[in-house]
Amino acid sequence: MNILKNLLWPEIEELIDLKEWKILKNILSEWDIPNLVELIKEVDDKNKIIIFRILPKNISNELFSEIDYEDQKVILSKMTDQQIKEILLELEPDDRTMLFEELPGKILQKYLNLLPDEERKEALELFGYPEESVGRLMTPNYTAVRPEWTIKKALEHIKERGYKSETINVIYITDEKWHFLDALELKKFILASPELLVKDIMDYIFVTLSPYDDREKAVSLMRHYNLSALPVVDSDNILVGIVTFDDVMDVAKEEATEDFHKTAGILPLEENYLKIDIRKLFLKRIGWLLSLVFINIFSGAIISRFENLIMTFVALVFFMPLLNDSAGNAGSQSATLIIRFMATNEMKWKDGLIILLKDFFVAILLAIAMGISVFLLGMFRGGIRVSIVASLAMFTIIVISSILGTILPLILKAFRIDPATASSPLITSLADIISVTVYFTIAKIILF
Amino acid sequence: MSEKPVNFAELLKDRRLKKLKEEIKFYKAPDIAKFIEQYLDYDSDLIIFFNLIPAEIISDVFSELDIETQHFILTEISNEKIKDIISNLESDDRVALFDELPENLVNRLLNLLPKSKKSNTIKLLSYSKNSIGRAMTTDFISIRENWSVAKSLNYIRRKSSEIKNVDIIFVTDNQGILLDSLDLEKFIFEEPNTIVKKILDYSFIKLSPYDKKEKGIELINKYNVVAIPVTDNKNRLLGIVTFDDIMDIEQEEVSRIFYKKSAITPLEKDYLSTNVFYIFIKRVPWLIALVFVNLFSGGIISIYEDVIQKMVALVFFLPLLIASAGNSGAQSSTLVIRAMATNEIELKDILKVIIKDFLVSLLLGIVMGLAVSILGFIRGGIKIAFIVGISMFSVVVFGSILGTLLPFLFSFVRIDPANGSSPLVTTLADIFGVFLYFIIATTILKF
């Protein structure tokens, strides 16, 4: 697709320069939405608005819901109130909520006032759910039928109402007070004979979400049950909305990115890497780096207590980076394994114990292998005594820091802190403290 | 409906099998599979339970089980039942299963399959492991463009008893050349006597069986479709890839990169069911390799032995400096690796990314340098403050650039950029960190 864009881009630019709107319109109307999204992303603000304006309304409305918030804001800022109203009304309620989340308060108020009463109420309702909750992700545009209807009547209703829904792959069954009863795939209606009643084909096997659930729950349920849409019901079992697979896949991607960044001690960026400005990127990174400087004061202080030892055996220092690094590496390996396990499974405490035990045995094997390699290295560089010290230290350090890497995420989870906070930088720094303490203590015992 | 069918265990223990059979009907296949994995051992109870599962969903339950359990079941149940189950598996699930089983068992199973499914399975097994060919299912519904909507619906109705994926219907010509893909709902909205040809817009996206699985993730995310057709180079429809398979592939992919980032060779199985020795093997190579890379930092320090003896306080800051170099490098490489995986950046963006990262690292370097020089002043006076401050600045900037460059370098020579992982970056940052530190120290100590 990029090839298409690269090939055509010079021509598109030329057409804009020549103000050949009609030709441009004809060309761009043939493009599909994802490619138009990319085009909008690439051009400067003025051209974003031009392109948006020349597109036929049905395309531009659909395009709007797919582009970045930043681009949405740019485009809205140049529209009349009437145009803004039209665009906002065309958005799916969940997309509208996501846009509103990004807007500064004053503009938000203005836009809310543009909406008709019913839509405004809906937007404010979705807004009432906590950030990153299922409530913010759901859309009230679903199709529901009643159990006492015939299949024929249900299908007619689906036909009539379906175009307003975000999906009709799944049809919901409620009573007249909107109490949720069942969810059935569209194909069941098509396959059933028309004179049957809806309740005849109901199976009462379903999964539901609460609007207050964390949006990650939507990801794991959808993955577990292979469903393309999930119903959301409130505490009174009223069907308040549905969550669809396309939104859920976006969430899955965002959550994975967040976890990645956390492992390196970076606060979630919430923006495209190429777009985020330098000041923001700096602020997202400095927090952990700086606090780790202060954790590292301890390792410095510990080393200073062994000053005499170091003066006598300077060769000890040669192995310090190696030991510190190995401790950090082994620790982050263990942490990665358990954090990833927790992210993809519902972990029970019993599992935690098994993992800890397992990690302990693995750590011992690793420690033996590492100890032996350091011993061989030590022989070259510091003689037999230093190499005994270094290999014993390596053994102990690997075992302790592996266990630390496993336990830390478990402890964080026990305190309901995101286990991914046990990032590699944090583990590395803690492992450093362990490493220098163990190393110099062993050295002191053996060498003096 | 409750998600945890625990009372199954009791009913099974008390051998109230009739009641149990009734109860099972109220659960979805993934939940039944989860129960088997979590509560049953590999013994006769598991087989008794498995045989109680209703015929309509038994293949679904089977496909959700892990490979060990599947293997156990296949060796314990009757040939007749095996035949039913593996014939009804979706073709991609069948291929995934055969891939993991020992060869003699696979041969036995292949012979139990009906002829067309046997040759189909063998064909699918020939695609390489990371290709779309392995992820696609050949169970789909295709109709002709000259059919009416009513005829199509009748056909769909008839086919849907054996084919699960009916959310998207494919339109082909007589030679099987793909013309378009249509949502099932279109057939409800249109008048029954409309000819299918009239509702085609001939715009669809497609994959080749030789495409990488990642391409499927990319396209499904971009186009928000439930299923993507897979065609050969003559545009003949071979199979489809569905969103639920893509979600699983994406999850595996994310895990793989996570592991690589910590220098762990990706585990193929769940952590809990991987044995100790296997995990050890997956972890040890990089750790050992990095020991040898670390030889250099030790070597460099030994050159500066006399500097250390003159000023032991330098050693106090050694762990801090090398850790900070590694950390800032790990941050940069993580940002780049993830942005590459989500297609936010490409190889051609290298200059933009490097400049941005350089500017950020200057800021990071200044703040970190100031912080550490205060510590240095407290512990060793003005000279140490200067040495550690300047060193910190240089190693943070250097580590960061290294972390940005490595993933690009790997992707340039077509190695997975995730190999530009934290441990590698950390270790390299160490070597240069130590080097810079002592050079700066000797230079400043001269004054």
Side-chain angles (χ1 to χ4, degrees):
Chain A
M1 293 303 149
N2 274 317
I3 305 165
L4 171 80
K5 195 184 67 203
N6 291 340
L7 272 177
L8 293 177
W9 187 225
E11 279 95 85
I12 302 279
E13 253 177 344
E14 211 184 309
L15 288 174
I16 294 176
D17 286 344
L18 296 172
K19 303 200 187 324
E20 292 280 6
W21 307 136
K22 221 169 167 178
I23 305 174
L24 195 59
K25 177 181 174 177
N26 288 337
I27 293 177
L28 292 182
S29 303
E30 294 296 312
W31 285 28
D32 59 11
I33 299 288
N35 286 314
L36 285 172
V37 172
E38 273 181 28
L39 178 69
I40 290 272
K41 215 185 264 177
E42 300 278 328
V43 300
D44 58 27
D45 287 357
K46 206 180 104 221
N47 291 337
K48 283 187 212 299
I49 294 157
I50 292 173
I51 292 172
F52 195 77
R53 283 203 166 133
I54 59 169
L55 286 170
K57 231 176 212 147
N58 58 340
I59 298 182
S60 65
N61 282 336
E62 200 183 334
L63 174 63
F64 189 82
S65 73
E66 299 285 330
I67 56 180
D68 287 352
Y69 306 121
E70 299 299 323
D71 293 342
Q72 288 180 337
K73 274 189 254 179
V74 170
I75 289 170
L76 285 181
S77 68
K78 293 285 181 250
M79 298 278 164
T80 66
D81 282 359
Q82 187 52 36
Q83 286 167 322
I84 294 175
K85 185 178 162 186
E86 265 172 44
I87 293 174
L88 291 179
L89 281 176
E90 282 299 320
L91 284 177
E92 283 287 334
D94 53 340
D95 292 332
R96 207 185 292 146
T97 314
M98 281 192 252
L99 167 65
F100 283 176
E101 265 173 45
E102 301 292 321
L103 293 173
K106 234 182 177 168
I107 301 178
L108 171 65
Q109 205 49 55
K110 183 186 146 200
Y111 290 174
L112 278 173
N113 289 337
L114 290 175
L115 292 174
D117 279 350
E118 200 173 311
E119 271 77 13
R120 186 169 57 237
K121 229 178 97 200
E122 203 173 85
L124 285 172
E125 247 165 45
L126 289 178
F127 235 49
Y129 297 113
E131 246 178 80
E132 309 219 327
S133 71
V134 163
R136 293 280 183 106
L137 200 65
M138 69 187 183
T139 167
N141 291 348
Y142 53 83
T143 301
V145 298
R146 310 265 173 273
E148 65 277 4
W149 291 358
T150 59
I151 299 290
K152 188 161 176 252
K153 181 169 177 196
L155 274 173
E156 266 157 25
H157 178 77
I158 294 168
K159 223 179 199 173
E160 219 168 89
R161 151 88 207 185
Y163 73 95
K164 275 193 203 154
S165 293
E166 197 158 319
T167 174
I168 58 165
N169 284 343
V170 186
I171 303 295
Y172 300 90
I173 296 134
T174 64
D175 63 19
E176 58 285 356
K177 293 209 173 93
W178 297 99
H179 288 105
F180 177 76
L181 300 173
D182 203 357
L184 288 176
E185 286 175 88
L186 175 64
K187 65 175 182 192
K188 291 226 166 125
F189 288 89
I190 297 179
L191 302 182
S193 62
E195 63 277 10
L196 279 178
L197 295 182
V198 171
K199 71 174 160 219
D200 297 331
I201 62 166
M202 284 166 69
D203 58 10
Y204 301 96
I205 307 178
F206 53 79
V207 222
T208 60
L209 286 164
S210 146
Y212 294 99
D213 281 336
D214 192 300
R215 57 186 195 161
E216 279 181 70
K217 189 167 177 197
V219 179
S220 66
L221 282 186
M222 199 165 271
R223 196 175 273 142
H224 185 61
Y225 293 103
N226 299 336
L227 294 167
S228 62
L230 294 170
V232 185
V233 301
D234 68 7
S235 51
D236 299 323
N237 200 30
I238 306 261
L239 181 59
V240 287
I242 60 167
V243 172
T244 52
F245 85 98
D246 48 334
D247 296 327
V248 169
M249 285 188 80
D250 289 343
V251 170
K253 194 166 137 187
E254 271 173 45
E255 294 285 340
T257 302
E258 250 182 64
D259 283 354
F260 263 103
H261 290 165
K262 274 190 190 156
T263 60
I266 306 166
L267 299 176
L269 295 192
E270 286 154 5
E271 258 177 83
N272 186 297
Y273 179 69
L274 282 180
K275 283 224 180 110
I276 190 168
D277 69 53
I278 289 170
R279 196 185 61 93
K280 264 195 204 152
L281 194 52
F282 164 72
L283 290 176
K284 301 273 182 195
R285 291 177 61 173
I286 189 71
W288 270 105
L289 284 186
L290 209 54
S291 42
L292 296 174
V293 170
F294 292 93
I295 297 181
N296 253 301
I297 295 177
F298 292 101
S299 40
I302 292 163
I303 300 174
S304 69
R305 298 190 47 194
F306 293 96
E307 204 171 326
N308 290 330
L309 179 76
I310 296 169
M311 292 293 272
T312 329
F313 298 95
V314 180
L316 286 174
V317 181
F318 308 160
F319 295 95
M320 203 165 73
L322 170 58
L323 291 170
N324 286 0
D325 268 4
S326 303
N329 289 342
S332 10
Q333 283 190 336
S334 298
T336 302
L337 285 169
I338 188 164
I339 289 172
R340 195 61 203 149
F341 181 81
M342 290 197 238
T344 52
N345 295 276
E346 265 175 73
M347 198 187 69
K348 285 181 276 139
W349 288 109
K350 193 189 81 189
D351 297 337
L353 215 63
I354 298 175
I355 291 177
L356 193 59
L357 207 66
K358 207 168 215 176
D359 187 72
F360 176 69
F361 287 119
V362 175
I364 287 184
L365 290 176
L366 289 173
I368 293 171
M370 299 287 281
I372 292 173
S373 8
V374 171
F375 183 80
L376 297 175
L377 283 184
M379 291 297 284
F380 287 109
R381 180 149 291 133
I384 182 88
R385 283 176 70 187
V386 169
S387 95
I388 289 175
V389 172
S391 58
L392 276 180
M394 180 64 102
F395 179 87
T396 321
I397 289 164
I398 294 279
V399 174
I400 298 180
S401 46
S402 266
I403 294 174
L404 177 80
T406 309
I407 282 189
L408 205 58
L410 284 172
I411 294 177
L412 290 173
K413 193 180 157 77
F415 285 100
R416 295 174 181 280
I417 302 171
D418 182 354
T421 313
S423 60
S424 307
L426 179 60
I427 293 198
T428 313
S429 304
L430 294 178
D432 272 3
I433 299 177
I434 294 169
S435 162
V436 292
T437 316
V438 170
Y439 182 38
F440 289 116
T441 310
I442 291 181
K444 204 169 179 181
I445 295 168
I446 293 188
L447 297 177
F448 276 128
Chain B
M1 200 92 330
S2 147
E3 284 162 39
K4 289 200 176 57
V6 265
N7 74 324
F8 284 3
E10 258 170 55
L11 293 172
L12 183 61
K13 208 176 106 223
D14 301 342
R15 285 291 182 272
R16 296 168 61 194
L17 301 184
K18 214 167 162 192
K19 170 96 172 122
L20 182 55
K21 196 170 177 175
E22 283 299 305
E23 285 286 313
I24 294 176
K25 284 191 188 139
F26 291 105
Y27 292 89
K28 282 186 183 285
D31 288 326
I32 301 171
K34 208 169 165 192
F35 167 77
I36 296 179
E37 278 174 18
Q38 286 188 340
Y39 293 94
L40 299 181
D41 298 320
Y42 296 149
D43 58 23
S44 55
D45 271 14
L46 194 156
I47 300 304
I48 292 171
F49 181 85
F50 187 76
N51 281 322
L52 290 176
I53 300 171
E56 313 88 68
I57 58 164
I58 196 163
S59 294
D60 289 346
V61 174
F62 185 81
S63 76
E64 296 277 340
L65 291 168
D66 62 37
I67 183 69
E68 270 86 16
T69 316
Q70 287 176 331
H71 194 168
F72 173 74
I73 289 172
L74 288 175
T75 51
E76 295 290 325
I77 59 174
S78 69
N79 262 357
E80 205 45 42
K81 196 132 196 172
I82 293 179
K83 196 175 155 183
D84 274 352
I85 290 170
I86 59 171
S87 307
N88 285 324
L89 282 177
E90 285 197 47
S91 57
D92 55 332
D93 292 334
R94 194 184 306 126
V95 170
L97 168 71
F98 283 16
D99 219 20
E100 302 278 338
L101 293 173
E103 205 174 320
N104 53 353
L105 185 56
V106 170
N107 285 333
R108 210 187 98 204
L109 295 181
L110 274 174
N111 287 326
L112 289 173
L113 284 173
K115 224 177 195 162
S116 64
K117 288 193 173 161
K118 180 178 171 183
S119 57
N120 177 282
T121 307
I122 293 172
K123 172 100 214 309
L124 290 178
L125 276 166
S126 72
Y127 292 114
S128 79
K129 254 197 165 169
N130 292 316
S131 70
I132 285 292
R134 281 296 180 87
M136 73 182 181
T137 166
T138 49
D139 307 320
F140 53 82
I141 295 187
S142 70
I143 56 167
R144 305 278 166 272
E145 57 173 339
N146 54 2
W147 291 2
S148 68
V149 165
K151 181 176 176 184
S152 307
L153 266 176
N154 268 332
Y155 180 77
I156 295 167
R157 272 190 198 116
R158 239 183 312 128
K159 278 278 174 184
S160 66
S161 59
E162 44 176 316
I163 291 174
K164 262 186 288 176
N165 303 301
V166 300
D167 288 335
I168 296 193
I169 306 297
F170 298 91
V171 186
T172 62
D173 68 11
N174 294 332
Q175 267 82 46
I177 307 271
L178 180 63
L179 301 172
D180 204 355
S181 64
L182 294 172
D183 288 344
L184 177 62
E185 55 191 62
K186 279 238 166 106
F187 293 88
I188 301 174
F189 293 145
E190 296 296 334
E191 288 304 314
N193 44 11
T194 310
I195 299 299
V196 170
K197 195 177 167 122
K198 285 219 176 98
I199 54 175
L200 299 185
D201 59 9
Y202 301 97
S203 84
F204 56 89
I205 39 162
K206 59 183 184 189
L207 286 161
S208 145
Y210 301 104
D211 280 334
K212 282 200 170 163
K213 283 180 175 173
E214 283 95 331
K215 179 127 189 239
I217 303 178
E218 194 192 322
L219 289 185
I220 282 224
N221 268 320
K222 189 169 164 189
Y223 290 93
N224 293 338
V225 285
V226 195
I228 299 182
V230 183
T231 62
D232 65 10
N233 52 10
K234 295 206 178 79
N235 222 358
R236 272 185 304 234
L237 183 58
L238 303 174
I240 59 169
V241 177
T242 53
F243 87 97
D244 49 321
D245 292 331
I246 291 292
M247 280 184 92
D248 292 342
I249 294 173
E250 191 170 22
Q251 192 185 23
E252 273 168 36
E253 185 63 19
V254 169
S255 291
R256 195 182 60 81
I257 298 178
F258 259 100
Y259 293 145
K260 275 214 170 154
K261 238 174 57 62
S262 307
I264 305 167
T265 315
L267 306 174
E268 282 97 24
K269 276 186 285 180
D270 194 304
Y271 184 49
L272 276 184
S273 40
T274 310
N275 76 37
V276 169
F277 187 69
Y278 199 72
I279 300 179
F280 165 70
I281 295 293
K282 296 279 174 183
R283 289 178 60 174
V284 79
W286 269 101
L287 286 184
I288 299 269
L290 295 174
V291 169
F292 289 92
V293 180
N294 247 303
L295 262 179
F296 293 100
S297 42
I300 292 165
I301 299 176
S302 69
I303 299 172
Y304 293 98
E305 204 171 326
D306 48 327
V307 185
I308 296 172
Q309 252 157 353
K310 238 186 278 168
M311 198 167 241
V312 183
L314 286 177
V315 180
F316 308 159
F317 292 94
L318 194 58
L320 172 57
L321 285 169
I322 59 183
S324 301
N327 288 341
S328 85
Q331 286 190 333
S332 297
S333 73
T334 302
L335 285 170
V336 172
I337 291 171
R338 184 61 187 160
M340 280 182 170
T342 53
N343 297 317
E344 279 173 41
I345 59 176
E346 294 166 46
L347 212 49
K348 69 170 167 55
D349 295 318
I350 180 163
L351 212 65
K352 263 191 254 174
V353 175
I354 288 179
I355 292 173
K356 183 174 238 172
D357 186 74
F358 177 67
L359 293 176
V360 173
S361 71
L362 286 184
L363 291 175
L364 293 173
I366 291 170
V367 175
M368 300 281 284
L370 284 177
V372 80
S373 54
I374 296 171
L375 292 182
F377 185 74
I378 296 169
R379 178 155 293 134
I382 188 80
K383 253 189 180 169
I384 286 281
F386 262 108
I387 294 174
V388 293
I390 295 172
S391 300
M392 179 62 99
F393 174 81
S394 340
V395 301
V396 166
V397 173
F398 182 82
S400 202
I401 293 173
L402 190 73
T404 309
L405 276 180
L406 271 183
F408 275 110
L409 200 70
F410 278 120
S411 117
F412 187 69
V413 292
R414 291 174 184 281
I415 300 174
D416 182 351
N419 284 313
S421 56
S422 312
L424 184 61
V425 172
T426 314
T427 310
L428 292 178
D430 261 19
I431 298 173
F432 291 97
V434 169
F435 194 53
L436 284 172
Y437 183 35
F438 284 107
I439 287 186
I440 292 168
T442 38
T443 316
I444 293 185
L445 284 176
K446 274 187 200 140
F447 294 103

